[in-house]
Amino acid sequence: MKRRFILWLSLFALAPFVDAAPLKIHFLSGAREYKSEESLKAFIPWLEKNHGVKCTISWGHDGIKKLPNLEQLKEADVLFVFARRMKLGEEQMKLIRAHWEKGKPIVGVRTASHAFQKADNEIFDRQVMGGNYL
């Protein structure tokens, strides 16, 4: 329950910084072991219905090399990461890097500290998430 409260507090603390348009959240789902898809398929419709946010989603899984719908991240205010050890190519990592380099917020849950494989994870892990999961 405490984790859920912290997540909500994090998401809605961002609301004053977004203009009158609905908050746009892009979700990255890709953690089979932790059932990210199952959890988010229940969470996202509830979030949209009860809080008027607009959500887009890139469904994936551990080890995936290319996510569908990742282009939608360009329009998002917030990136929500619930993923584990994705092996995305450079083109898709550029989209994700562009988001954090613009200073846009990222909410990471569970395995987000090691969402990506390769050199990009060290950057994401240390510079974006603020630590190292090891």
Side-chain angles (χ1 to χ4, degrees), residues 13-34:
L14 300 170
F17 301 104
V18 180
D19 59 15
L23 183 67
K24 297 178 205 160
I25 304 172
H26 187 79
F27 286 83
L28 292 186
S29 171
R32 283 183 178 153
E33 182 176 350
Y34 300 106

Side-chain angles (χ1 to χ4, degrees), residues 44-133:
I44 292 169
W46 180 88
L47 186 61
E48 290 176 323
K49 179 182 176 189
N50 293 293
H51 296 285
V53 300
K54 182 176 179 352
C55 299
T56 54
I57 306 126
S58 291
W59 300 113
H61 54 78
D62 313 51
I64 197 169
K65 294 181 180 175
K66 186 170 183 178
L67 285 166
N69 305 319
L70 192 58
E71 287 286 325
Q72 295 174 347
L73 175 59
K74 291 178 183 179
E75 304 301 318
D77 301 308
V78 179
L79 172 59
F80 185 106
V81 180
F82 188 174
R84 182 175 178 264
R85 302 188 190 283
M86 293 182 168
K87 297 179 181 180
L88 303 180
E90 181 58 23
E91 184 179 316
Q92 290 204 318
M93 286 307 303
K94 279 183 184 179
L95 293 171
I96 295 167
R97 275 195 304 275
H99 182 87
W100 83 62
E101 287 173 352
K102 288 177 184 173
K104 290 183 172 185
I106 296 174
V107 175
V109 297
R110 188 63 183 169
T111 57
S113 66
H114 52 289
F116 310 106
Q117 292 288 90
K118 304 181 194 176
D120 285 301
N121 189 60
E122 185 169 329
I123 295 167
F124 185 78
D125 196 12
R126 294 180 190 277
Q127 292 180 9
V128 177
M129 301 307 290
N132 182 291
Y133 81 100

